[in-house]
Amino acid sequence: GVTFTEMFTLIDSPTATAEFTNYEAYSSAGIPKGSVCMVQCSHHVDSAVSNEIGVRTYGSELFRTIDLHGESVVSAGFEQFLIGVKTDTTYGRFQYYNSNINADFYIQGYFGSNMDYVEMYPTRINLSGTAGWQNVSTTSYVPASVVCDFYIMHYRRTAASSCGVRESGSALER
């Protein structure tokens, strides 16, 4: 089976270079080479400055970032998302992107060697304005019966919103 090793490791002092920067997950955090990591990307909303942040596999050409805004319905706190990224098998590294100093990256854990991850450029799926759960087909993006990694983004800055993803037919309020 697939195992998950839980951790909560801050990437020390991520630099704001507005370019992808290597993070040595193997040598810095003891994460096995070739592992799929879950990384929490957080932006301090009290900074009132937007920040483009993200992660990608070392050597990837994909520009996997999200622009998070300093404006929010709350006056302080974080805008954040959780994303998977695979460390390379040679060095055990991945890359992070940070356009502003007001960000933190936390490794929440990693999957064992029986897990693989196919990195894709984020595909935007627009939903209707209807409140409530909506069925969305992902078959044009990924094969059936695979596990997907979703970002859930809410772009309206003047109001809070409840958002989630669940399997079609599920009754879970996620």
Side-chain angles (χ1 to χ4, degrees):
V2 175
T3 60
F4 184 77
T5 302
E6 189 176 25
M7 57 194 313
F8 195 68
T9 302
L10 174 65
I11 295 177
D12 292 329
S13 304
T15 55
T17 60
E19 62 186 38
F20 280 96
T21 303
N22 293 339
Y23 176 71
E24 307 294 335
Y26 175 73
S27 61
S28 297
I31 296 170
K33 298 173 183 177
S35 295
V36 178
C37 299
M38 296 307 296
V39 179
Q40 175 183 324
C41 303
S42 301
H43 170 63
H44 304 240
V45 297
D46 55 343
S47 68
V49 176
S50 67
N51 194 8
E52 192 169 359
I53 58 178
V55 295
R56 71 179 182 191
T57 298
Y58 174 73
S60 172
E61 295 295 321
L62 293 178
F63 201 81
R64 296 177 69 215
T65 64
I66 300 281
D67 188 16
L68 298 179
H69 303 279
E71 303 167 25
S72 179
V73 296
V74 295
S75 60
F78 297 93
E79 289 179 313
Q80 54 197 355
F81 60 93
L82 186 67
I83 184 172
V85 64
K86 187 171 184 175
T87 63
D88 76 302
T89 57
T90 304
Y91 304 105
R93 62 175 64 142
F94 64 83
Q95 296 180 311
Y96 67 88
Y97 187 95
N98 184 20
S99 67
N100 186 305
I101 61 170
N102 298 309
D104 291 318
F105 296 84
Y106 292 93
I107 301 171
Q108 298 222 336
Y110 61 90
F111 291 93
S113 60
N114 290 337
M115 175 83 167
D116 199 8
Y117 187 82
V118 177
E119 187 176 82
M120 296 174 59
Y121 186 79
T123 301
R124 185 176 183 161
I125 300 173
N126 293 314
L127 303 176
S128 71
T130 306
W133 292 101
Q134 300 175 40
N135 286 325
V136 175
S137 174
T138 59
T139 56
S140 60
Y141 313 111
V142 295
S145 301
V146 299
V147 175
C148 295
D149 184 16
F150 288 94
Y151 305 108
I152 302 171
M153 303 297 292
H154 173 63
Y155 288 101
R156 189 171 172 206
R157 298 181 199 155
T158 58
S161 179
S162 296
C163 305
V165 174
R166 68 182 184 187
E167 184 177 11
S168 182
S170 173
L172 293 175
E173 291 295 326
R174 298 172 45 138

